[in-house]
């Protein structure tokens, strides 16, 4: 059955084309398996709560009749501002507007959130853009530019809120500069979500072609109920496609964890067990309560434009397993930098088991993709990353160390994690506090960060390893727990390019390189030289010759706790990028200045580079699942989620490689090429 929705209808009807519903929520209460909801252009100020699940062979489809012309929003217009001072205006809103959730009495909080900035989950928006909350009314009258923002000029548009108990209202003070808020589009957040079922298990939903914005979402760590403006809420088989998603206070789309009442932000609430332990508890509890491939995950997020969210564009833990995230444009995530802590990035995914991230365009985020815990069977392929870093014009300051980012962060996972055919151009390309990875045919123009560190809990003077789970091959069942030994990493047919240092990053690198920071060395020196102290497979294997038990005569008793081996071959190192000291087959040119620059032009995004001049006469072999072998701890091959092997004979665009493979992500090389 087809139901119709039209916000312009004089009054709500029965959902037929002749008498459409006025709200999507009306359709969501009745639409069931096999039904389609067609939504005409308009603004829909509501929180849609789908009541019925679809089936794999009969989805419930919600579709905007005109692409991105049906706009679901969690905000309401804010009119009636009273001018108090030059640029400063006041508005009082009755608390009855908010129902049982007032975003202006609810603070952003949760495990791993840095509460140095006391923020509310609500926001004030000026012409579709969130203004900057301050904690003192004086900062509305005398605003100061943010040191961490990518848009310091707009950071002068500040707002402050307090409660008036006498009138039972929420009072806003806001600085609109020279603008009159009663003549502009000014809105405030009212709703917590925009398209999100309140019940678990509402699976096989398609959301297609909508604009979705401005929800008062809460911080989403892995040890809590993870919400977003949009999300499947612990179910299976959603498709979110062709949507524009923006201005969520915290997360835009959540593929995250369900509510575990006795283990929800337990670290924050009770303190005694640290976050790592409560995280392990969450995972084990989920495995007892139905976390498996038959019930959870297998979602698709594709062709979406996701931007200007405070914490993440896409977040997930446990609920995102076996999913596909492809062809999305993700940018300007955490650009205000008024929220800080872990869990921030264009995509932040825990337990990305058999998740494929491909052909995404990710830039100008505090961090591009962060794969935390249990990145097993995960593949990151054919993506473009750049400017996932601190603001270009930012000067060294205390705020800088809080916001250092990179294109890809893989943390405390046992693998296999496969990264192939990507273009990675930020100051720091890869943060690698993990093991069991393979990097094949990438262009890497930033440093490899935190190699050998960042996997303990940081206790002073005593061991504090983070024991993390690994799983049965292509499943969710926990097979075991182990700390991170580091290594078990492979680098084949990559191009490493050393770019000139930005002054800010150079200052941070110099400051942190000698600090013995256990989490981040701020490395911006490009290349695999960071593995110089790691063994080859032959060296590592020799430690086990004749070994069948530990006794006092053993000459090497640390064999089970030392770094795992590294493999490198067919890589190219340019403009000062340095190779692994034990690498035998490589190409290096430190004398020529090579460049790789992204240019935004009217017809698309271009890569302009001369790096392929260096590889004209150098080629590596075709890499395959067989060459890469198995990740050590889970004993799992670098293969497709369905268990079939991979041959890396296709490049960034899917073009075929020849029998000898040119290093880097482009099979035919280029001087200038359109990427998106």
């Amino acid at each position: 059955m087809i139901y119709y929705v039209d916000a312009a209808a004089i009054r709500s009807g029965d959902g037929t084309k002749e008498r459409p519903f006025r709200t999507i929520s009306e359709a969501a209460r009745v639409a069931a398996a096999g039904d389609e909801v067609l939504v005409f252009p308009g603004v829909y100020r509501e929180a849609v709560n789908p009541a019925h699940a679809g089936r794999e062979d009969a989805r419930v489809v919600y579709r905007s009749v005109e692409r991105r012309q049906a706009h679901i929003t969690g905000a309401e217009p804010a009119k009636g501002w009273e001018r108090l001072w030059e640029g400063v205006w006041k508005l009082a809103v009755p608390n009855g507007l908010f129902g049982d959730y007032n975003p202006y009495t609810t603070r952003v909080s949760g495990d791993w959130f840095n509460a140095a900035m006391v923020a509310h989950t609500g926001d004030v928006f000026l012409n579709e853009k969130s203004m900057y909350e301050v904690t003192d009314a004086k900062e509305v009258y005398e605003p100061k530019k943010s040191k961490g923002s990518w848009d310091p000029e707009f950071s002068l548009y500040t707002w402050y809120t307090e409660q008036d108990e006498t009138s039972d209202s929420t009072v806003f003070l806001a600085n609109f500069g020279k603008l009159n808020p009663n003549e502009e589009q000014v809105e405030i957040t009212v709703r917590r979500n925009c398209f999100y079922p309140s019940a678990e298990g509402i699976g096989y939903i398609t959301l297609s072609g909508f604009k979705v914005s401005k929800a008062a979402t809460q911080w989403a760590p892995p040890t809590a109920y993870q919400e977003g403006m949009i999300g499947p809420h612990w179910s299976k088989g959603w498709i979110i496609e062709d949507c524009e998603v923006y201005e969520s206070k915290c997360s835009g789309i959540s593929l995250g964890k369900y509510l575990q009442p006795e283990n929800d932000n337990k670290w924050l609430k009770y303190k005694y067990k640290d976050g790592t332990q409560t995280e392990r508890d969450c995972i084990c509890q989920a495995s007892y309560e139905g976390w498996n491939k038959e019930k959870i995950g297998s979602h698709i997020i594709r062709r979406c434009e996701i931007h200007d969210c405070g914490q993440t564009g896409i977040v997930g833990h446990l609920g995102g397993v076996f999913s596909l995230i492809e062809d999305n444009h993700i940018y300007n995530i955490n650009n205000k930098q008024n929220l800080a802590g872990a869990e921030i990035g264009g995509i932040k995914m825990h337990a990305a088991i058999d998740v494929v991230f491909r052909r995404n365009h990710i830039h100008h985020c505090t961090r591009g993709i962060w794969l935390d815990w249990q990145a097993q069977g995960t593949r990151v392929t054919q993506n473009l990353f750049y400017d996932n870093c601190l603001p270009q014009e930012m000067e060294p300051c205390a705020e800088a160390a809080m916001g250092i980012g990179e294109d890809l962060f893989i943390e405390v996972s046992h693998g296999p994690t496969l990264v192939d055919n990507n273009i990675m151009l930020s100051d720091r390309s890869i943060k690698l506090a993990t093991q069991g990875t393979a990097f094949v045919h990438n262009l890497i123009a930033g440093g490899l960060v935190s190699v050998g560190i960042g996997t303990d809990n940081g206790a002073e003077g005593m061991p504090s390893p983070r024991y993390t789970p690994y799983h049965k091959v292509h499943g969710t069942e926990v097979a075991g727990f182990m700390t991170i030994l580091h290594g078990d990493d492979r680098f084949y047919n990559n191009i490493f390019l050393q770019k000139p240092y930005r002054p800010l990053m150079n200052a941070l690198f110099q400051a942190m390189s000698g600090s013995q920071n256990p989490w981040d060395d701020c490395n911006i020196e490009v290349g695999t030289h960071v593995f110089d102290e790691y063994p080859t497979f032959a060296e590592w294997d020799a430690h086990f010759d004749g070994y069948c038990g530990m006794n006092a005569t053993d000459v090497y008793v640390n064999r089970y706790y030392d770094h795992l081996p590294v493999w490198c071959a067919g890589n190219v190192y340019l403009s000062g990028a340095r190779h692994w000291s034990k690498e035998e087959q490589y190409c290096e040119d430190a004398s020529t200045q090579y460049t790789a620059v992204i240019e935004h032009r009217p017809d698309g995004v271009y890569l302009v580079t001369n790096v392929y001049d260096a590889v004209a006469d150098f080629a590596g072999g075709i890499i395959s699942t067989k060459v890469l072998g198995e990740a050590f701890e889970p004993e799992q091959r670098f293969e497709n989620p369905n268990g079939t092997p991979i041959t890396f004979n296709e490049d960034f665009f899917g073009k075929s490689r020849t029998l000898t493979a040119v290093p880097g992500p482009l099979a035919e090389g280029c001087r200038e090429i359109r990427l998106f």
Side-chain angles (χ1 to χ4, degrees):
M1 185 170 182
I2 298 178
Y3 294 98
Y4 295 87
V5 180
D6 191 347
I10 297 174
R11 60 175 59 87
S12 192
D14 57 7
T16 61
K17 190 172 185 179
E18 294 74 22
R19 300 180 64 244
F21 294 128
R22 291 195 71 223
T23 68
I24 305 170
S25 294
E26 292 172 279
R29 285 193 285 269
V30 296
D35 291 341
E36 184 173 18
V37 177
L38 296 179
V39 184
F40 288 98
V43 178
Y44 295 84
R45 298 187 185 276
E46 53 183 310
V48 181
N49 178 11
H52 304 290
R55 301 191 307 270
E56 187 171 8
D57 62 346
R59 310 181 65 80
V60 183
V61 178
Y62 295 79
R63 190 182 310 280
S64 175
V65 173
E66 297 182 32
R67 185 172 180 266
R68 299 186 184 176
Q69 295 305 303
H71 182 181
I72 308 171
T73 178
E76 292 288 341
K79 295 294 184 183
W81 292 86
E82 173 192 358
R83 185 177 182 274
L84 299 182
W85 195 258
E86 185 68 33
V88 179
W89 300 71
K90 177 181 178 180
L91 177 69
V93 176
N95 283 334
L97 174 68
F98 304 112
D100 59 0
Y101 179 77
N102 186 336
Y104 305 98
T105 59
T106 306
R107 304 284 190 182
V108 176
S109 66
D111 290 348
W112 289 282
F113 175 66
N114 181 350
M117 166 59 186
V118 181
H120 292 94
T121 59
D123 255 319
V124 178
F125 303 92
L126 172 60
N127 298 326
E128 292 281 276
K129 191 171 182 177
S130 60
M131 299 168 64
Y132 286 64
E133 184 180 7
V134 294
T135 56
D136 190 330
K138 182 179 178 181
E139 296 176 82
V140 175
Y141 287 89
E142 301 174 8
K144 297 179 181 178
K145 290 182 182 179
S146 167
K147 292 182 179 180
S149 172
W150 279 85
D151 190 356
E153 293 298 328
F154 194 78
S155 72
L156 295 173
Y157 291 90
T158 56
W159 65 274
Y160 168 81
T161 188
E162 61 185 19
Q163 293 295 303
D164 185 337
E165 296 182 1
T166 302
S167 62
D168 189 25
S169 62
T170 296
V171 178
F172 297 91
L173 294 179
N175 193 318
F176 293 99
K178 296 180 180 180
L179 301 177
N180 181 338
N182 296 315
E183 297 175 355
E184 305 293 329
Q185 181 183 343
V186 179
E187 298 169 289
I188 58 171
T189 325
V190 173
R191 287 167 286 276
R192 188 166 185 162
N193 312 109
C194 290
F195 192 94
Y196 200 95
S198 59
E200 298 172 15
I202 309 298
Y204 296 106
I205 301 284
T206 295
L207 183 72
S208 183
F210 287 84
K211 182 182 290 188
V212 184
S213 74
K214 309 184 196 77
T217 51
Q218 184 57 277
W219 186 253
T223 49
Y225 168 54
Q226 286 186 315
E227 64 180 14
M229 285 200 299
I230 304 169
H233 191 188
W234 204 243
S235 67
K236 183 175 180 178
W238 275 44
I239 297 175
I240 303 167
E241 63 183 12
D242 298 311
C243 292
E244 182 182 6
V245 180
Y246 63 99
E247 285 291 5
S248 173
K249 182 66 177 198
C250 290
S251 294
I253 298 173
S254 172
L255 304 181
K257 192 176 75 64
Y258 67 111
L259 177 63
Q260 297 174 337
E262 303 305 316
N263 195 14
D264 190 64
N265 284 315
K266 194 173 185 177
W267 184 26
L268 174 70
K269 293 175 181 176
Y270 304 114
K271 315 297 183 187
Y272 300 124
K273 285 187 176 181
D274 72 18
T276 293
Q277 182 62 24
T278 58
E279 166 73 342
R280 284 189 287 260
D281 291 349
C282 285
I283 294 163
C284 291
Q285 181 179 341
S287 69
Y288 309 144
E289 295 180 346
W291 178 46
N292 57 54
K293 193 171 188 176
E294 288 68 40
K295 296 180 181 179
I296 303 300
S298 297
H299 306 297
I300 298 173
I301 302 174
R302 61 190 177 199
R303 301 188 301 273
C304 290
E305 182 180 357
I306 306 170
H307 61 96
D308 291 285
C309 297
Q311 179 192 338
T312 65
I314 301 171
V315 74
H317 179 216
L318 304 175
V321 289
F322 315 112
S323 292
L324 174 62
I325 299 175
E326 64 177 1
D327 298 309
N328 301 290
H329 185 193
I330 303 174
Y331 60 97
N332 292 4
I333 302 300
N334 192 236
N335 273 197
K336 293 165 72 175
Q337 296 209 46
N338 61 337
L339 302 182
E343 320 313 322
I344 286 174
I347 300 173
K348 175 65 194 287
M349 185 77 76
H350 283 75
I353 297 172
D354 283 354
V355 176
V356 176
F357 304 86
R358 70 183 179 198
R359 300 192 301 266
N360 298 290
H361 178 195
I362 303 177
H363 61 99
H364 292 92
C365 300
T366 294
R367 175 170 284 117
I369 297 178
W370 186 351
L371 302 175
D372 201 351
W373 289 55
Q374 304 147 276
Q376 182 170 333
T378 310
R379 187 176 184 185
V380 180
T381 181
Q382 299 172 318
N383 302 282
L384 171 62
F385 300 91
Y386 57 94
D387 287 329
N388 297 303
C389 58
L390 295 166
Q392 295 292 348
E393 305 304 322
M394 189 176 181
E395 296 180 357
C397 59
E399 290 87 344
M402 289 298 297
I404 306 175
E406 56 282 317
D407 290 327
L408 176 63
F409 183 8
I410 310 172
E411 185 175 13
V412 290
S413 297
H414 298 285
T417 308
L418 174 59
V419 183
D420 68 281
N421 289 296
N422 300 283
I423 298 173
M424 313 174 84
L425 302 181
S426 297
D427 299 306
R428 296 147 47 108
S429 288
I430 306 155
K431 193 170 184 180
L432 207 57
T434 194
Q435 67 184 48
T437 67
F439 294 85
V440 182
H441 280 290
N442 301 286
L443 171 56
I444 298 171
L448 272 61
V449 185
S450 298
V451 171
I453 62 173
T455 59
D456 291 349
N457 263 343
E460 189 172 344
M462 61 178 63
S464 56
R466 281 192 282 176
Y467 283 86
T468 55
Y470 53 95
H471 300 264
K472 290 186 177 180
V473 175
H474 303 303
T476 58
E477 300 93 334
V478 174
F481 288 82
M482 184 55 184
T483 187
I484 302 299
L485 302 177
H486 302 279
D488 193 23
D489 299 312
R490 301 140 179 85
F491 297 87
Y492 289 101
N493 295 358
N494 302 285
I495 298 176
F496 292 92
L497 168 65
Q498 179 70 67
K499 297 189 301 182
Y501 298 155
R502 269 204 296 152
L504 168 61
M505 296 307 299
N506 189 42
L508 289 172
F509 173 50
Q510 296 301 326
M512 295 178 70
S513 58
S515 68
Q516 303 301 310
N517 185 310
W519 302 102
D520 196 317
D521 55 18
C522 201
N523 179 50
I524 52 175
E525 295 181 334
V526 180
T528 54
H529 63 283
V530 291
F531 289 97
D532 279 353
E533 302 304 316
Y534 285 66
T536 65
F537 176 78
E539 290 171 333
W540 177 77
D541 182 58
H543 294 150
F544 298 88
D545 286 349
Y547 177 75
C548 59
M550 186 171 290
N551 56 64
T553 62
D554 280 335
V555 296
Y556 196 78
V557 297
N558 294 333
R559 57 176 64 85
Y560 289 110
Y561 304 98
D562 204 354
H563 291 329
L564 297 168
V566 170
W567 293 261
C568 285
N571 300 297
V572 175
Y573 301 87
L574 304 176
S575 300
R578 290 182 284 155
H579 66 277
W580 182 42
S581 60
K582 300 170 185 178
E583 186 171 1
E584 296 180 356
Q585 181 193 0
Y586 64 92
C587 173
E588 190 170 59
D589 184 352
S591 61
T592 305
Q593 186 59 53
Y594 294 94
T595 60
V597 177
I598 295 295
E599 293 186 0
H600 288 253
R601 301 178 185 175
D603 64 333
V605 179
Y606 284 76
L607 172 67
V608 180
T609 183
N610 61 346
V611 298
Y612 281 93
D613 294 353
V615 300
D617 299 320
F618 180 80
I622 295 291
I623 306 302
S624 65
T625 292
K626 183 178 180 179
V627 172
L628 297 178
E630 292 183 346
F632 172 75
E633 207 66 65
E635 300 176 2
Q636 179 176 336
R637 301 189 309 164
F638 293 82
E639 61 190 8
N640 287 308
N642 63 4
T644 58
I646 301 171
T647 299
F648 297 91
N649 56 3
E650 293 185 352
D651 74 351
F652 179 90
F653 295 106
K655 294 180 180 179
S656 295
R657 292 190 165 94
T658 59
L659 294 178
T660 55
V662 174
L666 303 176
E668 300 174 359
C670 75
R671 274 274 183 165
E672 179 179 301
I673 193 167
R674 181 181 172 185
L675 302 176
F676 285 95

